[in-house]
Structures are given as structure tokens and as C-alpha cells.
Amino acid sequence: SHERIQAIGDVDEANAAIGFAREYVSENAPDSLNVLLRHIQNDLFDLGADLCIPEGSPETLRIIPSQVDFLEKKIDAFNKCLEPL
């Protein structure tokens, strides 16, 4: 029930969902979307590795602010195309 274990599971679940989406995308969407999803999966692998580092460890984290900014910009771009709920 620890929040770190929950986060590891959430990251793994998100990565699996993206992997499933990539299977569909590879057949029906532009290559650029598959490249974006692969990029996000790579970042999620980094995040999963970061979550495995014990608190207080001298190891440095792999996720950096520019990765978060990149994802936020992509989310904003996709949301911009959606009609209001």
C-alpha cells in the first residue's frame, strides 16, 4: 500500500497501455504518432527506474524538467484540437 509501489504500478500500466496503442497506431496512423508514443515510453522507463532508487540514495535521477515540459506541450497540442466538454 506504499505510494511508491503504487506509482511503479501506475507507470507500468501506462507503459503497457501505450504499447497496446502503438500496435494499433502502427497500422492506422502516421509514423509521427508512433515515434511520439515510443518517446513517451522511453521516458516512462526512465521514470520507472527513478522510482526504484531508494530515498536518500546518492544516485541521480534520470527524469529531467525538459522531459516533463515536452510531455506537457504535447498534451496541450492534442487538447487544443478537442472541442470543449
Side-chain angles (χ1 to χ4, degrees), residues 17-59:
I18 291 171
F20 182 77
R22 284 185 61 201
E23 277 298 309
Y24 176 78
V25 166
S26 65
E27 298 174 6
N28 301 303
D31 287 339
S32 60
L33 184 56
N34 196 25
V35 169
L36 173 61
L37 292 174
R38 185 175 64 232
H39 180 96
I40 294 169
Q41 276 191 301
N42 286 336
D43 285 352
L44 286 173
F45 283 123
D46 288 347
L47 178 57
D50 285 350
L51 289 168
C52 293
I53 296 173
E55 289 184 43
S57 173
E59 291 188 45

mmCIF file of all heavy atoms in Angstrom, residues 17-59:
data_model
loop_
_atom_site.group_PDB
_atom_site.id
_atom_site.type_symbol
_atom_site.label_atom_id
_atom_site.label_comp_id
_atom_site.label_asym_id
_atom_site.label_seq_id
_atom_site.Cartn_x
_atom_site.Cartn_y
_atom_site.Cartn_z
ATOM 1 N N ALA A 17 -0.294 0.291 -21.681
ATOM 2 C CA ALA A 17 -1.383 0.857 -22.484
ATOM 3 C C ALA A 17 -0.823 1.547 -23.732
ATOM 4 O O ALA A 17 -1.383 1.423 -24.828
ATOM 5 C CB ALA A 17 -2.198 1.839 -21.650
ATOM 6 N N ILE A 18 0.296 2.242 -23.569
ATOM 7 C CA ILE A 18 0.912 2.892 -24.719
ATOM 8 C C ILE A 18 1.449 1.846 -25.696
ATOM 9 O O ILE A 18 1.333 1.999 -26.915
ATOM 10 C CB ILE A 18 2.018 3.866 -24.271
ATOM 11 C CG1 ILE A 18 1.378 5.052 -23.553
ATOM 12 C CG2 ILE A 18 2.849 4.339 -25.457
ATOM 13 C CD1 ILE A 18 2.371 5.983 -22.884
ATOM 14 N N GLY A 19 2.014 0.775 -25.182
ATOM 15 C CA GLY A 19 2.476 -0.313 -26.050
ATOM 16 C C GLY A 19 1.331 -0.902 -26.849
ATOM 17 O O GLY A 19 1.459 -1.171 -28.054
ATOM 18 N N PHE A 20 0.186 -1.077 -26.213
ATOM 19 C CA PHE A 20 -1.005 -1.575 -26.917
ATOM 20 C C PHE A 20 -1.434 -0.567 -27.983
ATOM 21 O O PHE A 20 -1.756 -0.945 -29.113
ATOM 22 C CB PHE A 20 -2.133 -1.820 -25.909
ATOM 23 C CG PHE A 20 -3.371 -2.380 -26.531
ATOM 24 C CD1 PHE A 20 -3.451 -3.707 -26.893
ATOM 25 C CD2 PHE A 20 -4.462 -1.558 -26.767
ATOM 26 C CE1 PHE A 20 -4.600 -4.222 -27.477
ATOM 27 C CE2 PHE A 20 -5.617 -2.057 -27.348
ATOM 28 C CZ PHE A 20 -5.678 -3.395 -27.709
ATOM 29 N N ALA A 21 -1.428 0.706 -27.637
ATOM 30 C CA ALA A 21 -1.810 1.753 -28.593
ATOM 31 C C ALA A 21 -0.859 1.772 -29.784
ATOM 32 O O ALA A 21 -1.291 1.973 -30.925
ATOM 33 C CB ALA A 21 -1.834 3.107 -27.903
ATOM 34 N N ARG A 22 0.417 1.555 -29.522
ATOM 35 C CA ARG A 22 1.391 1.549 -30.623
ATOM 36 C C ARG A 22 1.122 0.437 -31.613
ATOM 37 O O ARG A 22 1.357 0.595 -32.814
ATOM 38 C CB ARG A 22 2.809 1.425 -30.076
ATOM 39 C CG ARG A 22 3.313 2.729 -29.482
ATOM 40 C CD ARG A 22 4.750 2.627 -29.049
ATOM 41 N NE ARG A 22 5.604 2.319 -30.184
ATOM 42 C CZ ARG A 22 6.815 1.791 -30.057
ATOM 43 N NH1 ARG A 22 7.314 1.506 -28.863
ATOM 44 N NH2 ARG A 22 7.545 1.564 -31.123
ATOM 45 N N GLU A 23 0.631 -0.695 -31.145
ATOM 46 C CA GLU A 23 0.268 -1.775 -32.055
ATOM 47 C C GLU A 23 -0.829 -1.318 -33.017
ATOM 48 O O GLU A 23 -0.805 -1.601 -34.192
ATOM 49 C CB GLU A 23 -0.202 -3.011 -31.286
ATOM 50 C CG GLU A 23 0.897 -3.892 -30.803
ATOM 51 C CD GLU A 23 1.725 -4.459 -31.929
ATOM 52 O OE1 GLU A 23 1.158 -5.035 -32.898
ATOM 53 O OE2 GLU A 23 2.963 -4.326 -31.857
ATOM 54 N N TYR A 24 -1.798 -0.599 -32.502
ATOM 55 C CA TYR A 24 -2.884 -0.084 -33.326
ATOM 56 C C TYR A 24 -2.376 1.038 -34.226
ATOM 57 O O TYR A 24 -2.685 1.089 -35.402
ATOM 58 C CB TYR A 24 -4.024 0.428 -32.443
ATOM 59 C CG TYR A 24 -5.138 1.055 -33.227
ATOM 60 C CD1 TYR A 24 -6.071 0.268 -33.887
ATOM 61 C CD2 TYR A 24 -5.237 2.442 -33.334
ATOM 62 C CE1 TYR A 24 -7.080 0.843 -34.632
ATOM 63 C CE2 TYR A 24 -6.239 3.025 -34.074
ATOM 64 C CZ TYR A 24 -7.163 2.229 -34.723
ATOM 65 O OH TYR A 24 -8.154 2.800 -35.461
ATOM 66 N N VAL A 25 -1.588 1.930 -33.664
ATOM 67 C CA VAL A 25 -1.087 3.087 -34.404
ATOM 68 C C VAL A 25 -0.244 2.655 -35.586
ATOM 69 O O VAL A 25 -0.330 3.238 -36.664
ATOM 70 C CB VAL A 25 -0.280 4.013 -33.465
ATOM 71 C CG1 VAL A 25 0.533 5.020 -34.240
ATOM 72 C CG2 VAL A 25 -1.227 4.725 -32.516
ATOM 73 N N SER A 26 0.569 1.634 -35.408
ATOM 74 C CA SER A 26 1.470 1.220 -36.483
ATOM 75 C C SER A 26 0.717 0.835 -37.745
ATOM 76 O O SER A 26 1.250 0.926 -38.837
ATOM 77 C CB SER A 26 2.363 0.065 -36.017
ATOM 78 O OG SER A 26 1.593 -1.076 -35.740
ATOM 79 N N GLU A 27 -0.532 0.449 -37.624
ATOM 80 C CA GLU A 27 -1.314 0.048 -38.778
ATOM 81 C C GLU A 27 -2.209 1.161 -39.317
ATOM 82 O O GLU A 27 -2.589 1.135 -40.475
ATOM 83 C CB GLU A 27 -2.201 -1.146 -38.414
ATOM 84 C CG GLU A 27 -1.422 -2.376 -38.006
ATOM 85 C CD GLU A 27 -2.335 -3.485 -37.512
ATOM 86 O OE1 GLU A 27 -3.559 -3.334 -37.599
ATOM 87 O OE2 GLU A 27 -1.804 -4.495 -37.028
ATOM 88 N N ASN A 28 -2.571 2.147 -38.483
ATOM 89 C CA ASN A 28 -3.627 3.065 -38.868
ATOM 90 C C ASN A 28 -3.335 4.550 -38.717
ATOM 91 O O ASN A 28 -4.226 5.361 -38.926
ATOM 92 C CB ASN A 28 -4.877 2.747 -38.035
ATOM 93 C CG ASN A 28 -5.330 1.319 -38.237
ATOM 94 O OD1 ASN A 28 -5.598 0.912 -39.348
ATOM 95 N ND2 ASN A 28 -5.371 0.555 -37.166
ATOM 96 N N ALA A 29 -2.150 4.937 -38.324
ATOM 97 C CA ALA A 29 -1.882 6.363 -38.087
ATOM 98 C C ALA A 29 -0.514 6.740 -38.649
ATOM 99 O O ALA A 29 0.280 5.881 -39.007
ATOM 100 C CB ALA A 29 -1.949 6.645 -36.591
ATOM 101 N N PRO A 30 -0.251 8.037 -38.708
ATOM 102 C CA PRO A 30 1.060 8.477 -39.216
ATOM 103 C C PRO A 30 2.206 7.966 -38.357
ATOM 104 O O PRO A 30 2.054 7.758 -37.155
ATOM 105 C CB PRO A 30 0.993 10.002 -39.129
ATOM 106 C CG PRO A 30 -0.407 10.353 -38.798
ATOM 107 C CD PRO A 30 -1.099 9.124 -38.310
ATOM 108 N N ASP A 31 3.346 7.774 -38.987
ATOM 109 C CA ASP A 31 4.534 7.311 -38.261
ATOM 110 C C ASP A 31 4.908 8.259 -37.132
ATOM 111 O O ASP A 31 5.449 7.836 -36.118
ATOM 112 C CB ASP A 31 5.719 7.157 -39.207
ATOM 113 C CG ASP A 31 5.597 5.946 -40.114
ATOM 114 O OD1 ASP A 31 4.839 5.019 -39.765
ATOM 115 O OD2 ASP A 31 6.257 5.924 -41.168
ATOM 116 N N SER A 32 4.615 9.555 -37.298
ATOM 117 C CA SER A 32 4.992 10.533 -36.270
ATOM 118 C C SER A 32 4.323 10.238 -34.934
ATOM 119 O O SER A 32 4.913 10.473 -33.874
ATOM 120 C CB SER A 32 4.649 11.947 -36.724
ATOM 121 O OG SER A 32 3.259 12.073 -36.962
ATOM 122 N N LEU A 33 3.111 9.701 -34.963
ATOM 123 C CA LEU A 33 2.437 9.362 -33.712
ATOM 124 C C LEU A 33 3.117 8.176 -33.043
ATOM 125 O O LEU A 33 3.298 8.153 -31.826
ATOM 126 C CB LEU A 33 0.953 9.086 -33.950
ATOM 127 C CG LEU A 33 0.116 8.822 -32.712
ATOM 128 C CD1 LEU A 33 0.227 9.965 -31.701
ATOM 129 C CD2 LEU A 33 -1.340 8.609 -33.090
ATOM 130 N N ASN A 34 3.519 7.206 -33.827
ATOM 131 C CA ASN A 34 4.225 6.051 -33.269
ATOM 132 C C ASN A 34 5.564 6.487 -32.681
ATOM 133 O O ASN A 34 5.964 6.018 -31.612
ATOM 134 C CB ASN A 34 4.433 4.973 -34.335
ATOM 135 C CG ASN A 34 4.798 3.633 -33.745
ATOM 136 O OD1 ASN A 34 4.477 3.327 -32.596
ATOM 137 N ND2 ASN A 34 5.473 2.823 -34.521
ATOM 138 N N VAL A 35 6.247 7.422 -33.332
ATOM 139 C CA VAL A 35 7.520 7.936 -32.817
ATOM 140 C C VAL A 35 7.284 8.657 -31.488
ATOM 141 O O VAL A 35 8.043 8.479 -30.530
ATOM 142 C CB VAL A 35 8.185 8.875 -33.849
ATOM 143 C CG1 VAL A 35 9.355 9.622 -33.245
ATOM 144 C CG2 VAL A 35 8.633 8.080 -35.067
ATOM 145 N N LEU A 36 6.225 9.461 -31.408
ATOM 146 C CA LEU A 36 5.904 10.162 -30.166
ATOM 147 C C LEU A 36 5.601 9.174 -29.046
ATOM 148 O O LEU A 36 6.109 9.321 -27.926
ATOM 149 C CB LEU A 36 4.716 11.099 -30.367
ATOM 150 C CG LEU A 36 4.178 11.775 -29.105
ATOM 151 C CD1 LEU A 36 5.242 12.654 -28.460
ATOM 152 C CD2 LEU A 36 2.922 12.567 -29.434
ATOM 153 N N LEU A 37 4.806 8.161 -29.328
ATOM 154 C CA LEU A 37 4.474 7.172 -28.301
ATOM 155 C C LEU A 37 5.713 6.412 -27.840
ATOM 156 O O LEU A 37 5.864 6.133 -26.647
ATOM 157 C CB LEU A 37 3.395 6.212 -28.808
ATOM 158 C CG LEU A 37 2.022 6.833 -29.029
ATOM 159 C CD1 LEU A 37 1.072 5.814 -29.667
ATOM 160 C CD2 LEU A 37 1.443 7.375 -27.740
ATOM 161 N N ARG A 38 6.609 6.100 -28.755
ATOM 162 C CA ARG A 38 7.861 5.422 -28.383
ATOM 163 C C ARG A 38 8.698 6.335 -27.482
ATOM 164 O O ARG A 38 9.277 5.885 -26.491
ATOM 165 C CB ARG A 38 8.643 5.011 -29.629
ATOM 166 C CG ARG A 38 9.889 4.203 -29.286
ATOM 167 C CD ARG A 38 10.627 3.681 -30.509
ATOM 168 N NE ARG A 38 11.131 4.778 -31.301
ATOM 169 C CZ ARG A 38 10.916 4.924 -32.614
ATOM 170 N NH1 ARG A 38 10.201 4.028 -33.279
ATOM 171 N NH2 ARG A 38 11.414 5.948 -33.269
ATOM 172 N N HIS A 39 8.734 7.609 -27.804
ATOM 173 C CA HIS A 39 9.463 8.586 -26.990
ATOM 174 C C HIS A 39 8.891 8.632 -25.569
ATOM 175 O O HIS A 39 9.640 8.626 -24.587
ATOM 176 C CB HIS A 39 9.369 9.965 -27.657
ATOM 177 C CG HIS A 39 10.071 11.046 -26.928
ATOM 178 N ND1 HIS A 39 11.352 11.437 -27.244
ATOM 179 C CD2 HIS A 39 9.686 11.825 -25.899
ATOM 180 C CE1 HIS A 39 11.710 12.407 -26.430
ATOM 181 N NE2 HIS A 39 10.715 12.666 -25.601
ATOM 182 N N ILE A 40 7.568 8.670 -25.466
ATOM 183 C CA ILE A 40 6.919 8.692 -24.149
ATOM 184 C C ILE A 40 7.208 7.405 -23.386
ATOM 185 O O ILE A 40 7.477 7.437 -22.180
ATOM 186 C CB ILE A 40 5.410 8.937 -24.293
ATOM 187 C CG1 ILE A 40 5.162 10.357 -24.840
ATOM 188 C CG2 ILE A 40 4.686 8.733 -22.971
ATOM 189 C CD1 ILE A 40 3.732 10.614 -25.281
ATOM 190 N N GLN A 41 7.183 6.272 -24.080
ATOM 191 C CA GLN A 41 7.514 5.013 -23.409
ATOM 192 C C GLN A 41 8.934 5.044 -22.858
ATOM 193 O O GLN A 41 9.171 4.591 -21.735
ATOM 194 C CB GLN A 41 7.360 3.828 -24.369
ATOM 195 C CG GLN A 41 5.959 3.313 -24.480
ATOM 196 C CD GLN A 41 5.921 1.986 -25.212
ATOM 197 O OE1 GLN A 41 6.352 1.888 -26.359
ATOM 198 N NE2 GLN A 41 5.396 0.973 -24.558
ATOM 199 N N ASN A 42 9.868 5.570 -23.622
ATOM 200 C CA ASN A 42 11.251 5.651 -23.139
ATOM 201 C C ASN A 42 11.329 6.500 -21.878
ATOM 202 O O ASN A 42 12.037 6.149 -20.926
ATOM 203 C CB ASN A 42 12.169 6.216 -24.223
ATOM 204 C CG ASN A 42 12.452 5.219 -25.322
ATOM 205 O OD1 ASN A 42 12.357 4.022 -25.124
ATOM 206 N ND2 ASN A 42 12.783 5.719 -26.489
ATOM 207 N N ASP A 43 10.595 7.623 -21.867
ATOM 208 C CA ASP A 43 10.579 8.467 -20.668
ATOM 209 C C ASP A 43 9.952 7.735 -19.487
ATOM 210 O O ASP A 43 10.391 7.881 -18.345
ATOM 211 C CB ASP A 43 9.832 9.777 -20.934
ATOM 212 C CG ASP A 43 10.644 10.750 -21.782
ATOM 213 O OD1 ASP A 43 11.841 10.482 -22.030
ATOM 214 O OD2 ASP A 43 10.085 11.784 -22.187
ATOM 215 N N LEU A 44 8.924 6.936 -19.752
ATOM 216 C CA LEU A 44 8.296 6.169 -18.666
ATOM 217 C C LEU A 44 9.250 5.117 -18.111
ATOM 218 O O LEU A 44 9.232 4.832 -16.908
ATOM 219 C CB LEU A 44 6.992 5.522 -19.135
ATOM 220 C CG LEU A 44 5.815 6.471 -19.308
ATOM 221 C CD1 LEU A 44 4.624 5.741 -19.937
ATOM 222 C CD2 LEU A 44 5.410 7.108 -17.986
ATOM 223 N N PHE A 45 10.086 4.530 -18.967
ATOM 224 C CA PHE A 45 11.098 3.591 -18.471
ATOM 225 C C PHE A 45 12.068 4.311 -17.543
ATOM 226 O O PHE A 45 12.462 3.785 -16.500
ATOM 227 C CB PHE A 45 11.851 2.918 -19.621
ATOM 228 C CG PHE A 45 11.082 1.826 -20.307
ATOM 229 C CD1 PHE A 45 10.849 1.877 -21.668
ATOM 230 C CD2 PHE A 45 10.601 0.737 -19.598
ATOM 231 C CE1 PHE A 45 10.148 0.869 -22.306
ATOM 232 C CE2 PHE A 45 9.900 -0.277 -20.225
ATOM 233 C CZ PHE A 45 9.664 -0.210 -21.586
ATOM 234 N N ASP A 46 12.460 5.536 -17.927
ATOM 235 C CA ASP A 46 13.325 6.332 -17.054
ATOM 236 C C ASP A 46 12.640 6.624 -15.723
ATOM 237 O O ASP A 46 13.246 6.522 -14.660
ATOM 238 C CB ASP A 46 13.709 7.655 -17.722
ATOM 239 C CG ASP A 46 14.698 7.486 -18.857
ATOM 240 O OD1 ASP A 46 15.280 6.392 -18.991
ATOM 241 O OD2 ASP A 46 14.886 8.464 -19.613
ATOM 242 N N LEU A 47 11.367 6.985 -15.793
ATOM 243 C CA LEU A 47 10.615 7.279 -14.566
ATOM 244 C C LEU A 47 10.530 6.041 -13.678
ATOM 245 O O LEU A 47 10.719 6.119 -12.463
ATOM 246 C CB LEU A 47 9.216 7.793 -14.908
ATOM 247 C CG LEU A 47 8.299 8.101 -13.738
ATOM 248 C CD1 LEU A 47 8.925 9.116 -12.791
ATOM 249 C CD2 LEU A 47 6.949 8.589 -14.251
ATOM 250 N N GLY A 48 10.265 4.889 -14.276
ATOM 251 C CA GLY A 48 10.210 3.646 -13.505
ATOM 252 C C GLY A 48 11.536 3.357 -12.819
ATOM 253 O O GLY A 48 11.570 2.931 -11.665
ATOM 254 N N ALA A 49 12.633 3.616 -13.528
ATOM 255 C CA ALA A 49 13.956 3.423 -12.920
ATOM 256 C C ALA A 49 14.164 4.393 -11.769
ATOM 257 O O ALA A 49 14.700 4.018 -10.720
ATOM 258 C CB ALA A 49 15.046 3.603 -13.977
ATOM 259 N N ASP A 50 13.728 5.635 -11.946
ATOM 260 C CA ASP A 50 13.848 6.622 -10.865
ATOM 261 C C ASP A 50 13.070 6.179 -9.634
ATOM 262 O O ASP A 50 13.525 6.350 -8.503
ATOM 263 C CB ASP A 50 13.327 7.992 -11.316
ATOM 264 C CG ASP A 50 14.273 8.716 -12.255
ATOM 265 O OD1 ASP A 50 15.424 8.255 -12.427
ATOM 266 O OD2 ASP A 50 13.855 9.737 -12.821
ATOM 267 N N LEU A 51 11.898 5.638 -9.846
ATOM 268 C CA LEU A 51 11.059 5.213 -8.720
ATOM 269 C C LEU A 51 11.684 4.046 -7.950
ATOM 270 O O LEU A 51 11.364 3.834 -6.787
ATOM 271 C CB LEU A 51 9.657 4.835 -9.199
ATOM 272 C CG LEU A 51 8.797 6.005 -9.655
ATOM 273 C CD1 LEU A 51 7.542 5.498 -10.375
ATOM 274 C CD2 LEU A 51 8.412 6.892 -8.479
ATOM 275 N N CYS A 52 12.575 3.305 -8.588
ATOM 276 C CA CYS A 52 13.230 2.174 -7.926
ATOM 277 C C CYS A 52 14.429 2.585 -7.089
ATOM 278 O O CYS A 52 14.962 1.774 -6.337
ATOM 279 C CB CYS A 52 13.654 1.141 -8.964
ATOM 280 S SG CYS A 52 12.261 0.327 -9.767
ATOM 281 N N ILE A 53 14.870 3.833 -7.237
ATOM 282 C CA ILE A 53 16.017 4.314 -6.455
ATOM 283 C C ILE A 53 15.526 4.612 -5.040
ATOM 284 O O ILE A 53 14.583 5.380 -4.858
ATOM 285 C CB ILE A 53 16.626 5.579 -7.087
ATOM 286 C CG1 ILE A 53 17.186 5.261 -8.470
ATOM 287 C CG2 ILE A 53 17.722 6.149 -6.180
ATOM 288 C CD1 ILE A 53 17.643 6.491 -9.234
ATOM 289 N N PRO A 54 16.155 4.006 -4.035
ATOM 290 C CA PRO A 54 15.720 4.272 -2.659
ATOM 291 C C PRO A 54 15.873 5.749 -2.287
ATOM 292 O O PRO A 54 16.791 6.421 -2.764
ATOM 293 C CB PRO A 54 16.664 3.406 -1.816
ATOM 294 C CG PRO A 54 17.246 2.420 -2.760
ATOM 295 C CD PRO A 54 17.240 3.051 -4.113
ATOM 296 N N GLU A 55 14.979 6.234 -1.456
ATOM 297 C CA GLU A 55 15.065 7.613 -0.989
ATOM 298 C C GLU A 55 16.384 7.820 -0.265
ATOM 299 O O GLU A 55 16.843 6.957 0.471
ATOM 300 C CB GLU A 55 13.893 7.926 -0.063
ATOM 301 C CG GLU A 55 12.572 8.023 -0.787
ATOM 302 C CD GLU A 55 11.435 8.426 0.115
ATOM 303 O OE1 GLU A 55 11.617 9.337 0.945
ATOM 304 O OE2 GLU A 55 10.374 7.804 -0.006
ATOM 305 N N GLY A 56 17.014 8.964 -0.510
ATOM 306 C CA GLY A 56 18.280 9.273 0.129
ATOM 307 C C GLY A 56 19.488 8.687 -0.588
ATOM 308 O O GLY A 56 20.610 8.860 -0.134
ATOM 309 N N SER A 57 19.258 7.978 -1.703
ATOM 310 C CA SER A 57 20.370 7.381 -2.441
ATOM 311 C C SER A 57 21.171 8.469 -3.156
ATOM 312 O O SER A 57 20.608 9.457 -3.621
ATOM 313 C CB SER A 57 19.818 6.387 -3.472
ATOM 314 O OG SER A 57 20.847 5.911 -4.301
ATOM 315 N N PRO A 58 22.484 8.291 -3.276
ATOM 316 C CA PRO A 58 23.299 9.285 -3.984
ATOM 317 C C PRO A 58 23.129 9.237 -5.507
ATOM 318 O O PRO A 58 23.613 10.115 -6.201
ATOM 319 C CB PRO A 58 24.731 8.917 -3.584
ATOM 320 C CG PRO A 58 24.665 7.464 -3.274
ATOM 321 C CD PRO A 58 23.282 7.231 -2.696
ATOM 322 N N GLU A 59 22.438 8.222 -6.017
ATOM 323 C CA GLU A 59 22.244 8.130 -7.467
ATOM 324 C C GLU A 59 21.389 9.295 -7.951
ATOM 325 O O GLU A 59 20.473 9.737 -7.274
ATOM 326 C CB GLU A 59 21.561 6.806 -7.830
ATOM 327 C CG GLU A 59 22.435 5.598 -7.602
ATOM 328 C CD GLU A 59 21.798 4.341 -8.138
ATOM 329 O OE1 GLU A 59 21.272 4.372 -9.260
ATOM 330 O OE2 GLU A 59 21.838 3.340 -7.420
#
